[in-house]
Amino acid sequence: AGAEPPTAAFAANNLMTIGLLRALRDLGLSVPRAVSVVGFDDHALADLLDPPLSVVDRDVENQGAVAMRMLLARLSGEVTGPGRTVRLDTRLLRRSSTARPGP
């Protein structure tokens, strides 16, 4: 007996999401009937896809501002030593590319 096929997939960026959607289409697997799909980053066209894509969204302006402050602190010598981990808020935008697994 073979392994059960996946019922969902997550893509870490927009380019990977496009590749995932293309691969599922090429395999004849419908989204979300056969496989639920969630992408990362809310691309401007994500809600125009068929079905509209569910995504994990983040505030990219805030991410850029945090990164710039960290870079400037490092360049000025204010911060030295090993790097640090920063966690930023995200939110799930549920659209139509996800569904409960079917029988």
Side-chain angles (χ1 to χ4, degrees):
E4 290 291 320
T7 59
F10 175 78
N13 61 51
N14 288 317
L15 189 57
M16 291 174 72
T17 303
I18 291 167
L20 171 61
L21 292 171
R22 178 173 285 151
L24 292 171
R25 182 193 65 203
D26 291 350
L27 291 169
L29 298 173
S30 69
V31 175
R33 194 173 328 115
V35 179
S36 289
V37 173
V38 176
F40 189 82
D41 281 342
D42 190 21
H43 189 279
L45 301 177
D47 62 338
L48 297 177
L49 295 174
D50 185 25
L53 184 65
S54 296
V55 296
V56 175
D57 190 29
R58 63 197 164 109
D59 183 343
V60 294
E61 288 182 17
N62 182 48
Q63 180 180 354
V66 169
M68 182 56 72
R69 284 193 299 271
M70 291 173 69
L71 176 61
L72 292 173
R74 177 73 63 173
L75 291 173
S76 71
E78 177 184 329
V79 174
T80 60
R84 64 185 177 105
T85 300
V86 176
R87 291 197 175 114
L88 302 174
D89 291 335
T90 59
R91 64 188 177 128
L92 177 62
L93 299 178
R94 291 183 186 174
R95 296 187 178 119
S96 302
S97 67
T98 56
R100 291 183 187 269

